[in-house]
Amino acid sequence: MSALSDVARLAQVSKATASRALSGRGYVSDEARDRVLAAAAEIGYVVSTNAQSLVTGSTRNVGVVIPFINRWYFGDVLEGIESALIAAGYDLTLYRLSADSAERRRVFDYFLVRKRVDAVIAVGIELAPSEVRMLHALGKPIVGIGGPIDDMATFSIDDVAAAALVTDHLISLGHTRIMHFGGDQSEQMDFRVHSQRLAGFQQAMSAAGLDAGPDAFRTTVLSIPGGYAVGLMVLADPRTRPTAVFAGSDEVAIGTIVAARQLGIQVPNQLSVVGIDGHELADMFSLTTLAQDPGEQGRLAVHRVMEELVGQQPAAPRTWTPFPVRLEVRGSTRAPSPAPAPVTP
């Protein structure tokens, strides 16, 4: 392997100058830096991040803890984090947390504490107070995505307000028979996303004087097959069929649209459907949705930790900040069709 001394000799500078030029720390003239970089490229010299970290205390590595990697939202957040870190010249170390408490302890007690990272980003993980204290003890920037966490800088969409907004959209079109297809209230995700979206739906319905009781809610898995299954079950009976559905996610909404088409129900002429997410398939299904842009959430998390890492900003306030959303109205929602006139003999 080429050594730093080889780069310095070829560039006709000292080893100290070559080191400063390659690390970006300390003054080096533009001419000398160009010679060093050209020499390093010519002989294939790569800076050892491990050796550099011993000197600078920086690993140029960010630890990310996340519960899932194979679900759309989390995958898009992760993609946003990764692209932003690459652009900043940082590596990513991923830790997937399962429901196993022993595994979770190993991640926090060993990997995040004993392995060197410059910052930690928690995605969709409701950290316990002891875990937050442990992370603060590292003295590194910490950002959370997904909901409020005491004594920690976090941001996410406001799920209650988001659900109320899309429900209000249906109400404003004139719908009164509206149902919510949402997550199982007994199997909550961290930050109680299922119950918060149900609460937002119920608030909007109650404010409009509409029925928000048990008959207006159906439990489903938040996936396209889940939306398809609950759609077939609910929409097949014309006596109880709603004129509009607020789906707890875009994938549920897409599954509901597929079920409606199979049953011969026209969307939106006979059924309006709205979701939450801004899924990449929403445009294909002409789905009205509340877009939350998970990729941008990931990039924002990196931006916040980078500001602190490079000393541009003090530590972010240890509070929750709402992330902006936008209602994207497409062809899956419209005013309900008027009821057919009774047939007279």
Side-chain angles (χ1 to χ4, degrees), residues 18-316:
S19 177
R20 291 197 300 273
L22 292 170
S23 68
R25 292 178 172 82
Y27 173 76
V28 179
S29 70
D30 291 341
E31 180 185 358
R33 178 177 290 104
D34 290 343
R35 293 205 311 271
V36 170
L37 294 177
E42 181 177 339
I43 64 177
Y45 177 80
V46 178
V47 177
S48 168
T49 54
N50 288 336
Q52 189 181 54
S53 69
L54 294 176
V55 177
T56 65
S58 172
T59 66
R60 301 192 72 81
N61 183 51
V62 172
V64 178
V65 291
I66 195 166
F68 309 102
I69 58 176
N70 61 343
R71 295 189 181 182
W72 173 81
Y73 169 81
F74 295 100
D76 268 29
V77 170
L78 192 57
E79 185 175 333
I81 291 174
E82 182 183 41
S83 63
L85 287 176
I86 290 174
Y90 274 70
D91 292 326
L92 177 152
T93 300
L94 183 65
Y95 304 99
R96 189 182 71 83
L97 293 189
S98 69
D100 187 305
S101 58
E103 179 181 300
R104 183 165 176 144
R105 283 195 301 271
R106 284 195 298 272
V107 168
F108 283 91
D109 294 347
Y110 178 76
F111 291 106
L112 291 180
V113 173
R114 301 186 189 182
K115 288 198 172 184
R116 298 166 65 84
V117 295
D118 292 342
V120 174
I121 299 174
V123 183
I125 300 291
E126 193 167 6
L127 301 178
S130 59
E131 293 168 340
V132 174
R133 288 193 297 270
M134 185 180 298
L135 292 174
H136 282 318
L138 294 172
K140 309 294 184 181
I142 308 165
V143 172
I145 303 174
I149 301 175
D150 289 342
D151 199 31
M152 187 170 164
T154 63
F155 64 89
S156 68
I157 71 169
D158 184 331
D159 284 294
V160 174
L165 177 59
V166 294
T167 305
D168 281 335
H169 169 65
L170 296 173
I171 294 171
S172 71
L173 292 173
H175 291 280
T176 57
R177 289 162 43 212
I178 306 171
M179 292 186 67
H180 173 44
F181 296 169
D184 191 333
Q185 301 299 295
S186 64
E187 297 180 3
Q188 292 287 345
M189 300 170 64
D190 281 3
F191 304 111
R192 302 168 304 284
V193 173
H194 300 340
S195 61
Q196 291 199 62
R197 292 186 180 179
L198 175 59
F201 166 74
Q202 292 173 331
Q203 286 180 15
M205 293 286 282
S206 296
L210 301 176
D211 179 19
D215 290 340
F217 172 64
R218 291 294 185 276
T219 293
T220 183
V221 177
L222 297 188
S223 66
I224 293 176
Y228 175 74
V230 71
L232 287 180
M233 178 180 67
V234 172
L235 303 178
D237 188 344
R239 297 169 301 176
T240 58
R241 181 189 304 157
T243 64
V245 169
F246 156 44
S249 74
D250 280 357
E251 291 189 342
V252 171
I254 290 168
T256 300
I257 290 173
V258 173
R261 289 175 178 174
Q262 182 169 318
L263 292 169
I265 300 169
Q266 296 180 1
V267 175
N269 292 342
Q270 296 172 289
L271 177 73
S272 286
V273 181
V274 64
I276 290 181
D277 274 338
H279 195 284
E280 58 190 7
L281 295 178
D283 190 47
M284 180 187 301
F285 284 86
S286 194
L287 175 65
T288 295
T289 181
L290 195 72
Q292 62 169 319
D293 201 343
E296 185 58 31
Q297 292 181 38
R299 289 185 285 273
L300 176 59
V302 172
H303 175 71
R304 288 191 174 181
V305 297
M306 287 300 151
E307 282 188 330
E308 191 174 342
L309 281 173
V310 300
Q312 293 179 354
Q313 297 288 340

